[in-house]
Amino acid sequence: MKSLFGLFPYNPNMIGLESLDDPSDTWEIVDTIGKGTYGKVYKVNNKKDGSLAAVKILDPISDVDEEIEAEYNILQSLPNHPNVVKFYGMFYKADQYVGGQLWLVLELCNGGSVTDLVKSMLKCGQRLEEAVISYILYGALQGLQHLHNNRIIHRDVKGNNILLTTEGGVKLVDFGVSAQLTSARLRRNTSVGTPFWMAPEVIACEQQYDYSYDVRCDVWSLGITAIELADGDPPLSDMHPVKALFKIPRNPPPTLCKPERWCRGFSYFISQCLIKDFEKRPSVIHLLEHPFIRQAHGKDMALQKQLAELINTQQQYGSIAKTRI
Ligand code: 4QG
């Protein structure tokens, strides 16, 4: 593909780095986000209007390759949705010595990731309530429905990529490995996703040529995320990731650590997400009507408030813990 583009220097789809604005005119970095969880992501301040955003920096960049172009195309063509992180624009900071930086400016999700929330609660001996879990999963499902309707597979759904706002909003982030579907089914023979959350058919696809997968790999990953929200970690997380990749297609579908602690509806929702044969696995539209998710319908406002309060409490606790050290 790269060489093909090289043959046609006036490809209109290609983003010319020269045409992008310098970010320094508008944005200044004020903080680091996620300490490497997402690559280089920073909190930025808009010098012109004082608004805050997140920036994902890709560097060093000398030309826009296929992957960056794919990410940019996905971000800029996707209509806004309350459960998908907003895209504010792309900038280029040139540097003739160390290589330039590409800046993807995105919506700031000040509540942090759902993984951070569960882990900090477990540290205090607390768990997320089922109703709050159903609200988070409801938001994630609506975000996924928006992506799938736009022919995009997320391919890296996990707690770290489900972010919260301090108002209790739920947003999907990180389309770095997403693929825009050019046909009903598409497979690329490149490594995608994070092992513990990966669907068996995606793993099979990477290892053999005659396998395929579709948008329902995101449903599997959401099922694993549901377990993560309850237990704090995905199944097999004590294993080496390479061993987990071997086990996932061979093991029976994973379940909650202590199913007796949770309602049957929750276990049943997870078992539906984790049907190993993706042809038999329900789609996102189907799961939005699942009884466990339906308990969040209509109670959105109350659950949003409850989640906002949890985030607030945990953030206060976190900053107290930090000052003690
Ligand atoms: C993003 C803000 C944690 C991450 C990508 C947006 C990756 C955040 C964030 O991260 N907002 C995360 C605050 C983002 C915290 C956007 C925090 C896009 N812990 O306070 Cl690819």
Side-chain angles (χ1 to χ4, degrees):
M1 277 304 252
K2 234 179 185 168
S3 55
L4 244 179
F5 282 136
L7 290 173
F8 302 103
Y10 299 115
N11 185 329
N13 294 324
M14 199 71 168
I15 323 151
L17 291 175
E18 325 73 48
S19 67
L20 296 171
D21 290 332
D22 189 303
S24 319
D25 299 337
T26 316
W27 302 100
E28 59 181 358
I29 293 177
V30 292
D31 213 347
T32 306
I33 286 174
K35 298 166 226 98
T37 318
Y38 312 100
K40 293 178 181 167
V41 180
Y42 304 90
K43 188 167 166 177
V44 284
N45 172 50
N46 186 318
K47 293 194 264 184
K48 292 169 182 165
D49 65 11
S51 63
L52 295 171
V55 62
K56 182 175 165 185
I57 297 183
L58 306 166
D59 66 343
I61 303 283
S62 51
D63 72 302
V64 174
D65 69 12
E66 274 176 77
E67 213 139 303
I68 292 168
E69 177 146 25
E71 182 163 3
Y72 175 76
N73 284 337
I74 287 170
L75 287 167
Q76 64 92 37
S77 67
L78 192 66
N80 282 343
H81 185 279
N83 300 110
V84 176
V85 76
K86 282 194 192 69
F87 178 56
Y88 296 145
M90 184 152 91
F91 298 84
Y92 184 68
K93 192 170 173 171
D95 186 312
Q96 62 183 124
Y97 301 108
V98 292
Q101 293 181 333
L102 202 62
W103 287 40
L104 297 172
V105 182
L106 303 142
E107 181 179 11
L108 186 71
C109 308
N110 255 331
S113 73
V114 295
T115 302
D116 290 342
L117 179 66
V118 196
K119 286 196 183 286
S120 77
M121 286 182 70
L122 288 172
K123 262 189 210 161
C124 322
Q126 287 177 296
R127 280 185 276 136
L128 277 176
E129 272 177 43
E130 267 165 22
V132 175
I133 294 179
S134 80
Y135 169 80
I136 293 170
L137 294 173
Y138 182 38
L141 278 167
Q142 290 177 95
L144 284 178
Q145 184 181 32
H146 182 66
L147 295 182
H148 294 175
N149 283 345
N150 286 280
R151 309 174 64 73
I152 293 163
I153 310 180
H154 187 292
R155 301 213 281 186
D156 201 15
V157 174
K158 55 179 176 177
N160 269 320
N161 285 338
I162 302 177
L163 297 190
L164 304 166
T165 65
T166 40
E167 295 80 37
V170 176
K171 318 238 171 207
L172 299 179
V173 297
D174 209 347
F175 305 95
V177 295
S178 296
Q180 199 127 22
L181 295 171
T182 48
S183 61
R185 247 178 229 169
L186 175 145
R187 57 165 303 277
R188 293 198 321 185
N189 204 28
T190 52
S191 183
V192 290
T194 310
F196 305 115
W197 289 263
M198 273 167 78
E201 70 274 14
V202 177
I203 296 168
C205 220
E206 287 192 358
Q207 292 164 355
Q208 258 168 298
Y209 221 76
D210 51 342
Y211 280 86
S212 65
Y213 61 87
D214 69 8
V215 291
R216 283 170 287 181
C217 64
D218 287 341
V219 167
W220 174 281
S221 305
L222 191 75
I224 299 294
T225 307
I227 296 180
E228 184 194 358
L229 288 176
D231 295 340
D233 287 298
L236 309 181
S237 59
D238 50 350
M239 252 180 215
H240 189 279
V242 174
K243 194 169 176 199
L245 283 178
F246 180 84
K247 284 285 180 193
I248 292 163
R250 289 164 180 86
N251 280 359
T255 55
L256 288 162
C257 255
K258 297 194 171 94
E260 68 281 358
R261 275 190 184 172
W262 309 92
C263 73
R264 300 221 346 230
F266 189 22
S267 284
Y268 180 55
F269 172 80
I270 290 169
S271 72
Q272 292 293 103
C273 293
L274 301 182
I275 292 174
K276 285 178 76 180
D277 179 355
F278 76 93
E279 308 262 14
K280 299 200 175 97
R281 195 180 302 149
S283 65
V284 163
I285 304 163
H286 202 96
L287 289 168
L288 279 165
E289 294 306 318
H290 191 282
F292 183 70
I293 299 303
R294 283 186 72 108
Q295 66 174 301
H297 298 201
K299 287 190 211 131
D300 298 48
M301 294 303 276
L303 289 170
Q304 181 182 342
K305 199 168 154 236
Q306 195 179 338
L307 180 58
E309 277 162 15
L310 270 179
I311 295 163
N312 203 289
T313 312
Q314 290 308 313
Q315 287 195 339
Q316 276 174 16
Y317 185 82
S319 54
I320 294 166
K322 261 182 219 157
T323 50
R324 282 214 184 111
I325 297 166

